[in-house]
């Protein structure tokens, strides 16, 4: 695949998140894992999503449920707001915003995800939804001439509107 990585980096997918998804490399930071998990949702790689989800926090997740979720959502853009958790840490977090289309509606998903290392590998444990909502997606509210909430710098009507 010779395209930009879905995670929003300026790198090619083959040089960024794909090696993590194909298990030819191991994410060294919470941000690398989170970006690769986002890319796995975009490219519908449910096995990777389940493998990188902390086993004590599966709460009934299955490859099938993750695949269904990934196929029913069109991910538009990812923006990492803040992160903590490098090679030496055992726990960390990533705060992010992800824009998506679901059932024909545009949403922004704002979350602070938490991660823990098991045998030297980062795993997602849980996420707190931010912005005062307990929904997994918060409807985007922007006027036609407002800046697009995806952060492109364009007017909403010329971008995601």
């Amino acid at each position: 695949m010779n395209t930009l990585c879905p995670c929003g980096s300026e790198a090619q997918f083959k040089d960024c998140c794909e090696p993590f998804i194909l298990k030819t490399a191991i994410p060294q930071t919470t941000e690398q894992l989170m970006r690769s998990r986002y890319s796995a949702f975009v490219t519908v790689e449910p096995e990777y999503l389940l493998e990188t989800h902390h086993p004590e926090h599966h709460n009934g997740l299955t490859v099938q449920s993750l695949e269904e979720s990934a196929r029913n959502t069109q991910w538009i853009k990812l923006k990492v707001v803040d992160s903590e958790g490098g090679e030496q840490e055992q726990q960390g977090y990533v705060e992010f915003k992800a824009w998506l289309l679901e059932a024909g509606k545009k949403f922004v998903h704002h979350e602070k995800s938490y991660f823990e290392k098991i045998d030297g590998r980062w795993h997602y444990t849980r996420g707190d939804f931010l912005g005062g909502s307990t929904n997994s997606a918060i409807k985007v509210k922007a006027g036609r001439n407002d800046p697009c909430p995806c952060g492109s710098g364009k007017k909403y009507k010329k971008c995601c509107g």
Side-chain angles (χ1 to χ4, degrees), residues 67-100:
E67 180 175 6
E68 183 178 325
S69 174
R71 290 195 186 282
N72 290 330
T73 305
Q74 180 184 347
W75 297 97
I76 300 168
K77 179 184 175 178
L78 174 69
K79 179 182 178 186
V80 173
V81 176
D82 191 21
S83 68
E84 187 176 287
E87 294 181 45
Q88 304 307 313
E89 284 80 31
Q90 296 301 307
Q91 295 181 332
Y93 70 86
V94 177
E95 180 184 345
F96 68 92
K97 293 181 180 180
W99 285 263
L100 61 130

Side-chain angles (χ1 to χ4, degrees), residues 76-79 99 146-161:
I76 300 168
K77 179 184 175 178
L78 174 69
K79 179 182 178 186
W99 285 263
D146 291 338
C148 190
C150 79
S152 68
K154 298 178 184 177
K155 289 184 178 183
Y156 180 65
K157 68 182 177 185
K158 295 284 187 180
C159 190
C160 293

Side-chain angles (χ1 to χ4, degrees), residues 5 7 12-13 15-21 32 35-36 39:
C5 192
C7 81
Q12 298 291 311
F13 179 60
D15 299 322
C16 190
C17 291
E18 187 177 46
F20 302 135
I21 294 169
Q32 285 178 330
R35 286 180 177 278
S36 67
S39 293

